């Protein structure tokens, strides 16, 4: 059965640097894939038995989130977790009032997410004493907005089985007081995981419902392919069951979480709806908690002092280059794409060193090794990465929310002003992509495209450095480039013959509106393989 969709279609192009100005009238779809695009009359003549669906609006390829965390986000953004995010609660008073209310009405442990002392100014130091005072006997766990730190009280430590004898995992740590007791702070994934384990266990039963709800929300925001950079393979049967019921609203691409001493799963398996793409590693941490590895110090400001950083603090990587290589090597040897979290310029240098060694050692050609976030990445580093065949995914939405913080409070105009320099990435020849990192900022791919063009925060602050991108580059970052980065360019990313009919209907022309208008694009409908999902 052939379906012809008509409307104002912006097919974009699967080819790099192609002209994307083309507008077509119609698209013929068979068995979920695009057969041809062209004029409505030509397609109707070629397919006289086809059903025609007239769509009201602009039609463009479904968007792709190249670095998400939908499984964890499904829990964090659900009613199981108190929402403290700065996008929901702008100030410290509101955060503390919300926590007190949640604890007062709690019938069990309280989990909260979104603490951000840089945007919610005046928050007290989130140590065990504060959380004991707030929570009392109620186990209280608060996740820092970046996910790189978690704060917990004594009752939550007991519930998670943590005490002064709990060792620091490799690449992560628990804060400790002078007498060796846990201070109520866990830093980085391996330690954070131990603190939130009871929350994840409590969410297990509701996960099928929570995951579908979250993925449908992402589909409504225009995403048709979503990656998960910290996937737990225990969830595979749940996703397989959803696929069997035709109830998975987006395609999933997942990255296994690396572990020291881990071994690679065999490659292969999965299909166009759901498969493993690569393996995630971490080099450094979050700019918002002081643990990114930079060649330059943090500024000495009220904000950095409030974070508990010493004057002119310099952050360090979670791993040495030798440790990172030891973790990454078995996965690279197994043929997997690596995706490494890196923000600071020193972390980027050492990750590129490791990548270069692995590429050479194993003679890797089309590896597409990734660098994630790339906050302080320099033009020279973008050029080096491109020469190695390494690809980059930038967290440009940092500018929207933390633009002023990056320049005035943390790093100054030179280093903060050029943050997430997507223009430099494209100038170096990258097929760069953008992302929202799961729950860390709202999933607004059109806002990402806009802010990469304007480099202007939500407060109207124009970043003093970095290079704006073009509209074609911005659109590519959530379509064709992202498809390529996820080894899925033969399936999605553009509306071209042979690719899946994954498309969205939007209320404005994504090519010609201003960047400000693009940010507010409304998605009217989302189609996956020619079937409407929302
Ligand atoms: Zn992430």
């Amino acid at each position: 059965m052939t379906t012809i969709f008509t409307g104002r279609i912006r097919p974009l192009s699967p080819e790099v640097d192609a002209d994307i100005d083309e507008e077509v009238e119609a698209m013929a779809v068979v068995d979920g894939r695009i057969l041809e695009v062209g004029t409505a009359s030509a397609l109707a003549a070629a397919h006289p038995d086809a059903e025609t669906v007239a769509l009201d609006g602009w039609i463009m390829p479904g968007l792709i989130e190249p670095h998400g965390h939908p499984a964890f986000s499904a829990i964090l953004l659900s009613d199981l977790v108190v929402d403290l995010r700065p996008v929901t609660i702008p100030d410290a008073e509101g955060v503390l009032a919300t926590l007190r209310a949640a604890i007062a009405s709690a019938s069990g442990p309280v989990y909260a997410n979104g603490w951000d002392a840089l945007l919610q100014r005046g928050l007290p130091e989130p140590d065990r004493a504060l959380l004991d005072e707030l929570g009392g006997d109620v186990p209280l766990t608060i996740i820092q907005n970046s996910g790189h730190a978690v704060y917990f009280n004594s009752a939550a430590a007991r519930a998670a089985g943590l005490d002064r004898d709990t060792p620091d995992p490799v690449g992560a740590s628990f804060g400790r007081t002078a007498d060796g007791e846990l201070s109520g702070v866990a830093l980085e994934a391996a330690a954070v995981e131990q603190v939130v384990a009871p929350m994840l266990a409590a969410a297990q039963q509701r996960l099928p419902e929570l995951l579908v709800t979250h993925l449908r929300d992402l589909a409504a925001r225009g995403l048709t392919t979503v990656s998960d950079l910290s996937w737990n393979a225990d969830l595979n049967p749940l996703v397989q069951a959803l696929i069997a019921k035709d109830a998975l609203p987006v395609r999933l691409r997942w990255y296994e979480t690396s572990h020291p001493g881990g071994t690679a799963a065999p490659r292969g398996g999965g299909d166009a709806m759901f498969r493993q793409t690569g393996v995630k590693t971490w080099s450094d941490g979050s700019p918002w908690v002081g643990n990114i590895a930079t060649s330059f110090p943090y500024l000495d400001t009220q904000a950095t002092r409030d974070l508990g950083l010493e004057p002119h603090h310099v952050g360090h990587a979670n791993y040495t280059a030798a440790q990172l290589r030891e973790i990454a090597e078995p996965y690279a040897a197994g043929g997997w794409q690596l995706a490494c979290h890196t923000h600071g310029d020193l972390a980027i240098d050492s990750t590129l060193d490791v990548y270069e060694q692995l590429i050479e050692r194993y003679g890797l050609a089309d590896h597409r090794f990734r660098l994630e976030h790339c906050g302080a990445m320099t033009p020279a580093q973008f050029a080096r990465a491109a020469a190695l065949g390494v690809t980059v995914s930038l967290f440009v939405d940092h500018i929207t929310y933390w633009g002023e913080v990056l320049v005035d409070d943390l790093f100054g105009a030179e280093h903060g002003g050029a943050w997430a320099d997507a223009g430099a990435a494209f100038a170096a020849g990258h097929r760069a992509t953008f992302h929202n990192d799961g729950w860390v900022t709202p999933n607004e791919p059109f806002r990402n495209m806009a802010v990469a063009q304007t480099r202007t925060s939500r407060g109207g602050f124009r970043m003093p450095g970095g290079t704006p991108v073009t509209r074609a580059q911005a659109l590519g970052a959530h379509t064709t480039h992202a498809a390529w980065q996820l080894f899925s360019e033969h399936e999605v990313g553009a509306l071209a013959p042979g690719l899946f009919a994954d498309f969205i209907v939007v209320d404005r022309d994504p090519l010609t509106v201003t960047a400000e208008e693009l940010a507010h694009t409304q998605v009217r409908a989302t189609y996956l393989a020619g079937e409407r999902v929302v």
Side-chain angles (χ1 to χ4, degrees):
M1 179 66 192
T2 304
T3 307
I4 297 173
F5 294 97
T6 62
R8 304 196 70 175
I9 302 174
R10 291 292 195 186
L12 307 187
S13 172
E15 308 300 326
V16 179
D17 293 332
D19 178 12
I20 59 163
D21 290 342
E22 186 190 18
E23 179 187 340
V24 298
E25 284 178 339
M27 173 169 69
V29 174
V30 178
D31 295 333
R33 288 190 188 255
I34 298 163
L35 193 62
E36 56 182 318
V37 295
T39 64
S41 57
L43 263 55
H47 308 280
D49 299 332
E51 177 196 6
T52 297
V53 177
L55 298 168
D56 177 24
W58 290 85
I59 297 152
M60 63 179 292
L63 302 176
I64 299 169
E65 170 55 290
H67 181 133
H69 296 276
F72 197 34
S73 302
I75 298 168
L76 284 189
L77 299 177
S78 76
D79 57 7
L80 295 171
V81 177
V82 181
D83 187 3
L84 304 178
R85 291 173 303 152
V87 291
T88 314
I89 305 178
D91 54 29
E93 297 72 38
V95 168
L96 295 172
T98 302
L99 276 172
R100 287 201 178 93
I103 291 157
S105 64
S107 56
V110 171
Y111 308 105
N113 172 55
W115 184 280
D116 187 337
L118 289 165
L119 295 183
Q120 296 154 332
R121 285 299 165 85
L123 281 171
E125 192 185 342
D127 58 9
R128 204 181 63 187
L130 175 78
L131 270 66
D132 277 346
E133 183 203 315
L134 284 169
D137 294 335
V138 175
L140 173 61
T141 305
I142 304 175
I143 299 166
Q144 206 277 344
N145 192 52
S146 68
H148 285 262
V150 62
Y151 314 116
F152 53 96
N153 69 353
S154 301
R158 282 194 296 277
L162 304 170
D163 60 30
R164 59 181 293 144
D165 298 325
T166 304
D168 284 350
V170 180
S173 62
F174 292 100
R176 298 181 196 266
T177 61
D179 59 2
E181 290 295 334
L182 295 177
S183 69
V185 180
L187 281 176
E188 295 304 303
V192 168
E193 279 168 16
Q194 293 187 39
V195 180
V196 303
M199 178 186 85
L200 298 180
Q204 272 317 301
Q205 239 184 344
R206 285 187 54 199
L207 209 49
E209 160 222 335
L210 297 180
L211 187 62
V212 170
T213 301
H214 180 60
L215 294 178
R216 288 189 63 81
D217 176 60
L218 296 181
R221 292 163 181 266
L223 296 166
T224 50
T225 297
V226 177
S227 63
D228 192 309
L229 275 279
S230 54
W231 185 252
N232 172 1
D234 293 347
L235 298 178
N236 289 6
L238 162 59
V239 175
Q240 303 291 5
L242 291 174
I243 293 171
K245 286 193 297 185
D246 215 10
L248 189 67
V250 297
R251 300 180 193 282
L252 287 174
R253 298 288 180 269
W254 59 275
Y255 288 72
E256 177 181 343
T257 301
S258 66
H259 288 288
T263 51
R267 292 190 70 192
D271 59 23
M273 281 302 292
F274 177 57
R275 67 168 179 266
Q276 183 174 3
T277 304
V279 177
K280 174 78 177 292
T281 61
W282 284 263
S283 180
D284 62 354
S286 165
W288 322 135
V289 298
N291 63 348
I292 67 169
T294 50
S295 62
F296 48 88
Y298 278 76
L299 301 177
D300 180 14
T301 61
Q302 189 61 46
T304 54
R305 289 178 179 221
D306 287 349
L307 288 181
L309 305 180
E310 296 293 320
H312 309 296
H313 167 83
V314 180
H316 294 286
N318 297 343
Y319 303 104
T320 64
Q323 284 175 317
L324 183 62
R325 173 166 176 172
E326 202 179 311
I327 294 167
E329 184 150 3
Y331 303 106
W336 287 109
Q337 179 196 38
L338 299 172
C340 188
H341 172 113
T342 52
H343 263 307
D345 56 337
L346 294 185
I348 288 162
D349 272 339
S350 72
T351 305
L352 287 173
D353 289 346
V354 170
Y355 279 175
E356 187 167 13
Q357 293 161 16
L358 294 174
I359 292 163
E360 199 169 303
R361 166 86 168 77
Y362 295 96
L364 303 174
D366 191 19
H367 51 81
R368 306 185 200 180
F369 284 171
R370 298 173 48 160
L371 297 178
E372 307 305 306
H373 313 318
C374 310
M377 192 160 177
T378 66
Q381 291 179 319
F382 283 117
R384 182 185 172 201
L388 289 169
V390 170
T391 178
V392 293
S393 190
L394 291 97
F395 201 161
V396 290
D397 210 20
H398 271 178
I399 295 168
T400 306
Y401 294 97
W402 294 274
E404 295 89 336
V405 167
L406 284 162
V407 174
D408 298 336
D409 297 316
L410 299 186
F411 301 122
E414 183 190 351
H415 300 294
W419 198 258
D421 193 353
F426 286 111
H430 282 284
R431 296 186 219 183
T433 66
F434 308 149
H435 59 255
N436 292 105
D437 202 12
W439 71 93
V440 178
T441 62
N443 279 270
E444 294 180 333
F446 287 107
R447 175 177 302 284
N448 292 341
M449 298 177 205
V451 76
Q453 270 194 273
T454 64
R455 295 191 61 78
T456 299
S457 77
R458 62 179 172 168
F461 174 75
R462 171 79 190 226
M463 300 296 273
T467 308
V469 305
T470 66
R471 179 60 52 85
Q473 290 166 341
L475 287 165
H478 272 295
T479 57
T480 51
H481 307 321
W484 176 83
Q485 215 164 54
L486 296 174
F487 284 90
S488 299
E489 72 273 22
H490 57 297
E491 295 164 326
V492 295
L495 301 178
L499 301 187
F500 284 107
D502 292 2
F503 62 89
I504 55 178
V505 184
V506 296
D507 66 341
R508 60 199 78 187
D509 179 4
L511 245 65
T512 59
V513 294
T514 65
E516 288 73 18
E517 288 168 335
L518 184 70
H520 297 105
T521 299
Q522 298 296 311
V523 177
R524 292 178 178 168
T526 302
Y527 286 76
L528 194 69
E531 300 288 334
R532 186 166 179 178
V533 288
V534 286

